[in-house]
Amino acid sequence: MPYQYRGDIAHADVAFDAWAKTLEELFRDAARATVQVMAENLEGIRRTQTLEVKLTQENEEMLLFDFLNELIFYKDARRLLLLPAELTIIKGESGVELRGTLQGEEIDPARHEMNTDVKAVTMLRYAVEKTDEGWHATVVLDV
Amino acid sequence: MNVPAALKRITDQVWELPVSYKEGMLVPARIFASEKLVREMDAGVFEQVSNVATLPGIQRYAYCMPDGHWGYGFPIGGVAAMDPGTGVISPGGIGFDINCGMRLVLTNLTADQVLPKLHQLVDRLFARIPTGVGCHGFVKLKQDDFRSIVQQGSRWCLKNGFATQEDLDMTEEGGCFSGADASHISDKAVERGYNQLGTLGSGNHYCEIQVVKPENVMDAELAAAFGLTTVPNQVVIMFHCGSRGFGHQVATDYLKLFLSVMGRKYGIKIVDRELACAPFHSPEGQAYFSAMKCAVNMAFANRQVILHRIREVFSDLFHASPDELGLRMVYDVAHNTAKLERHEVNGPRKELLVHRKGSTRAFGPGAAGLPGCYAKTGQPVIIGGSMETGSYLLAGMQSGADAFFTTAHGSGRTMSRHEAKKNFRGDKLQREMEARGIYVRTDSFGGLAEEAGSAYKNIDEVVEATELAGLSKRVARLVPIGNIKG
């Protein structure tokens, strides 16, 4: 299971765990978990717009924080529901860099089965960690 | 059963975790609640209110209100006053939705006059007030206009025909926190929010048509002073929203900044990263305080332009001017802010930075800063309940000084959103509510299910606890008949 919502943390917010073999898969799954809080029908999001994304952070944890915040930003600024298309994450001496593309379209309540707005990624129980099987993240979203 | 063994009963409505409960607590933590409410509180409340008690500069107690529940950083219902000279400011004590708040508006219409047109009224409000995920507002602005709005709040609305002077008088701080400087907000925050003036948002945000039934008036004198009983079964309008994406981005920007400087520059250690903070008088602390005020002002302006639109809808439908329909504000009050206020702590009054997160300022009679008409009554306090069960109007009390004149903000969740969605179906709930006389419009049945009344505490118990604790007095219970939700 790539991600699972949790009912046992912060009742007014939405918490999820994500597990993946690679960091790129973890970011993709965490993005899907975040967008699905807002729109139930992820398959209904047509990929009519493509945006480039490039982020650098000191570690994987803050990189995922910034990455999920990009999705939340475009939802408000341009009314776009976006999912990752291609992602590459490279760890270098100066930190961790993400390059890739996001694809999606403007919010259409008729097709996307709207749920609840995501306001922010919180630091409550927030974690991105390397495991024996790959990567694991715990994220609590303010809704 | 989550109640820690260390929790001591101080009175019937006051509970305390001593400083010995957790390493680093500088003051005890106090929870205002009945025994039943405290026993029902989730484990997060005790963990988080005691975390708040470790923050530098905290005065007297870390508090949690009777609607308290597990939040991030502070519990929802959390209150902490810091000495501005030695203490910190923390976005986790205010929330991402800066100046999320409530506004209550009177009409002189009776339920009998409104009910025949209720569907039309709710449908028109739903069509004309943008709701839901990522909604853009009906006030079209350039980014520079938006920068001036966040500095002026409701004053911009007055200058641009969206407000009356009386609206500003009936808004906390006149609808504008002074000292809001747009140079402290990011371009990203502006870009995220400038299209959202005049939007409700989603989640627990709503605009509701309510009725003041005579049997639900608890204090006739105060109700009359607040304009609630001018006609029998008077219809009122309550709405709940905040600073939208702009405020959320301001909070995110400064959460990141504080995480980067807190330990490195100021040597502050915290027990939860969501309590990231900076000394109030540091450059970062002052920049956030100013940026937070910008978000506060955006939220006041947001609620003000929504009120303007509500007046248009009522005017069109009932063929009378807003004045003729008595569409006047009772009050607008924030429940996610930090403010400099003067309070007594061990003697003379001194200036304190009061963080309120999911808790409402509730000044008692005679307090400075209240409009003249409320000098004798105390401040109106608007408590939004769940969409199924109703809401309350309360009044601040003199005895609220212990908690820095603060009370609850809502009924408080008991069930997670995830669980609520598994237990309820939005479309079924909508039909059931209509059968019970509450007509709801929403773009999101998933969101509606999450807001089911059973996911919340009993609001009657919450407001009773605030009254017994001397924080706020019950004035009237307001029963919903129509609701628009994001």
Side-chain angles (χ1 to χ4, degrees):
Chain A
M1 181 177 292
Y3 60 87
Q4 188 171 25
Y5 296 107
R6 297 174 60 159
D8 61 337
I9 310 179
H11 292 158
D13 304 305
V14 174
F16 68 85
D17 281 307
W19 301 267
K21 286 197 174 124
T22 69
L23 201 52
E24 284 85 352
E25 285 174 31
L26 183 83
F27 275 50
R28 186 200 60 199
D29 293 338
R32 291 177 70 83
T34 300
V35 176
Q36 198 166 29
V37 174
M38 301 188 271
E40 188 64 35
N41 182 11
L42 295 186
E43 306 317 313
I45 300 172
R46 294 172 187 154
R47 302 197 162 207
T48 59
Q49 296 200 39
T50 302
L51 277 80
E52 284 194 17
V53 57
K54 186 182 167 188
L55 301 166
T56 307
Q57 261 293 358
E58 59 192 55
N59 55 39
E60 291 86 357
E61 193 175 54
M62 289 313 291
L63 189 70
L64 180 67
F65 183 84
D66 282 357
F67 179 65
L68 296 179
N69 270 305
E70 284 294 289
L71 304 173
I72 296 166
F73 169 78
Y74 284 117
K75 170 266 301 176
D76 283 324
R78 301 201 206 161
R79 300 192 73 247
L80 291 175
L81 291 176
L82 297 169
L83 292 167
E86 289 173 36
L87 290 181
T88 310
I89 299 169
I90 300 163
K91 194 161 185 168
E93 280 182 12
S94 59
V96 197
E97 186 180 297
L98 175 148
R99 284 166 184 265
T101 51
L102 304 172
Q103 289 185 326
E105 64 169 338
E106 265 203 35
I107 293 166
D108 179 353
R111 282 189 294 109
H112 296 144
E113 295 174 35
M114 304 317 294
N115 282 325
T116 304
D117 205 0
V118 175
K119 296 173 182 170
V121 181
T122 78
M123 278 285 149
L124 175 67
R125 308 279 167 99
Y126 182 70
V128 175
E129 59 199 2
K130 188 102 175 69
T131 65
D132 292 344
E133 293 78 32
W135 289 87
H136 167 246
T138 302
V139 180
V140 178
L141 302 168
D142 183 22
V143 300
Chain B
M1 178 71 176
N2 301 307
V3 178
L7 190 76
K8 286 192 299 186
R9 172 180 231 146
I10 305 295
T11 69
D12 279 354
Q13 305 296 325
V14 181
W15 306 77
E16 182 174 306
L17 286 170
V19 289
S20 57
Y21 177 66
K22 181 179 283 181
E23 195 183 338
M25 280 174 72
L26 301 172
V27 293
R30 284 199 164 185
I31 297 168
F32 294 99
S34 63
E35 182 165 356
K36 178 169 184 285
L37 285 170
V38 91
R39 289 192 185 286
E40 288 169 359
M41 280 181 175
D42 49 54
V45 170
F46 307 105
E47 180 191 330
Q48 292 181 327
V49 75
S50 53
N51 289 347
V52 172
T54 68
L55 288 174
I58 188 165
Q59 301 290 298
R60 199 188 284 153
Y61 299 104
Y63 287 111
C64 186
M65 295 294 138
D67 54 337
H69 57 94
W70 199 341
Y72 47 85
F74 280 44
I76 310 297
V79 186
M82 310 309 187
D83 179 333
T86 59
V88 294
I89 184 166
S90 173
I94 295 156
F96 286 94
D97 199 357
I98 298 165
N99 190 4
C100 188
M102 307 292 305
R103 186 171 284 215
L104 182 65
V105 183
L106 302 169
T107 76
N108 57 23
L109 298 165
T110 64
D112 285 345
Q113 288 171 298
V114 170
L115 283 169
K117 291 185 171 181
L118 181 67
H119 278 222
Q120 274 175 285
L121 175 63
V122 173
D123 290 347
R124 286 191 194 189
L125 289 170
F126 187 64
R128 301 209 58 206
I129 302 170
T131 60
V133 178
C135 53
H136 281 183
F138 52 83
V139 185
K140 300 298 172 203
L141 299 166
K142 297 198 170 93
Q143 293 195 9
D144 281 347
D145 298 329
F146 186 76
R147 287 174 188 278
S148 82
I149 289 172
V150 302
Q151 295 189 145
Q152 298 174 42
S154 297
R155 291 184 198 159
W156 181 91
C157 302
L158 182 63
K159 277 184 241 164
N160 288 273
F162 292 103
T164 65
Q165 181 58 49
E166 188 185 74
D167 294 340
L168 272 61
D169 295 341
M170 295 301 142
T171 306
E172 182 178 353
E173 299 293 325
C176 179
F177 275 25
S178 62
D181 179 350
S183 70
H184 295 302
I185 56 178
S186 66
D187 290 343
K188 198 162 191 166
V190 173
E191 194 181 342
R192 186 167 163 191
Y194 83 103
N195 275 317
Q196 293 188 323
L197 190 70
T199 58
L200 267 186
S202 89
N204 61 357
H205 293 165
Y206 62 84
C207 174
E208 200 161 82
I209 310 296
Q210 302 169 339
V211 177
V212 189
K213 295 187 177 175
E215 64 269 31
N216 290 335
V217 174
M218 283 102 182
D219 187 313
E221 204 175 316
L222 284 174
F226 291 157
L228 275 193
T229 45
T230 52
V231 291
N233 293 309
Q234 186 174 351
V235 168
V236 296
I237 306 135
M238 179 181 286
F239 58 103
H240 176 216
C241 58
S243 49
R244 308 285 293 114
F246 172 67
H248 312 158
Q249 191 65 41
V250 167
T252 297
D253 290 344
Y254 280 91
L255 172 64
K256 276 177 68 181
L257 175 67
F258 286 7
L259 283 171
S260 71
V261 298
M262 183 177 51
R264 213 175 291 172
K265 192 168 167 185
Y266 297 111
I268 300 170
K269 287 184 186 159
I270 46 166
V271 290
D272 169 3
R273 281 187 295 175
E274 193 52 58
L275 289 175
C277 56
F280 179 65
H281 280 304
S282 66
E284 295 85 359
Q286 286 295 298
Y288 170 63
F289 193 45
S290 182
M292 181 215 75
K293 290 173 174 178
C294 291
V296 164
N297 291 342
M298 188 287 179
F300 282 138
N302 189 34
R303 292 198 286 273
Q304 184 58 48
V305 300
I306 289 173
L307 171 58
H308 179 74
R309 188 138 271 197
I310 290 169
R311 284 180 171 143
E312 287 178 349
V313 168
F314 269 81
S315 224
D316 287 349
L317 189 63
F318 292 98
H319 309 293
S321 72
D323 277 349
E324 288 165 336
L325 294 169
L327 289 162
R328 299 175 64 182
M329 274 178 63
V330 176
Y331 206 58
D332 178 309
V333 66
H335 50 232
N336 282 0
T337 58
K339 292 177 76 173
L340 285 170
E341 296 172 357
R342 294 187 73 78
H343 295 278
E344 284 174 24
V345 179
N346 304 326
R349 281 154 66 90
K350 61 176 189 176
E351 189 167 66
L352 297 175
L353 179 71
V354 185
H355 293 72
R356 294 188 178 96
K357 183 186 187 191
S359 55
T360 312
R361 191 193 74 175
F363 281 171
L370 290 182
C373 59
Y374 299 143
K376 287 187 180 162
T377 59
Q379 179 205 306
V381 174
I382 306 158
I383 304 283
S386 83
M387 61 185 182
E388 290 191 74
T389 53
S391 298
Y392 273 87
L393 183 65
L394 315 178
M397 298 165 77
Q398 292 282 15
S399 48
D402 280 353
F404 309 112
F405 294 103
T406 309
T407 189
H409 87 306
S411 40
R413 285 193 84 88
T414 54
M415 187 188 286
S416 75
R417 292 180 174 278
H418 180 65
E419 208 177 325
K421 235 163 102 181
K422 281 196 291 186
N423 286 338
F424 307 106
R425 276 192 46 185
D427 51 352
K428 186 162 172 269
L429 188 60
Q430 187 188 41
R431 287 194 300 272
E432 287 169 359
M433 285 176 67
E434 187 162 5
R436 281 185 277 134
I438 311 168
Y439 178 56
V440 188
R441 287 292 309 270
T442 180
D443 258 343
S444 164
F445 285 127
L448 195 70
E450 291 178 5
E451 294 301 319
S454 314
Y456 283 86
K457 298 183 197 202
N458 181 330
I459 192 163
D460 301 325
E461 292 173 5
V462 169
V463 295
E464 184 185 20
T466 74
E467 185 168 314
L468 293 171
L471 303 174
S472 50
K473 193 170 188 337
R474 287 169 292 185
V475 177
R477 190 179 204 280
L478 310 167
V479 179
I481 55 171
N483 182 313
I484 68 168
K485 287 200 72 66

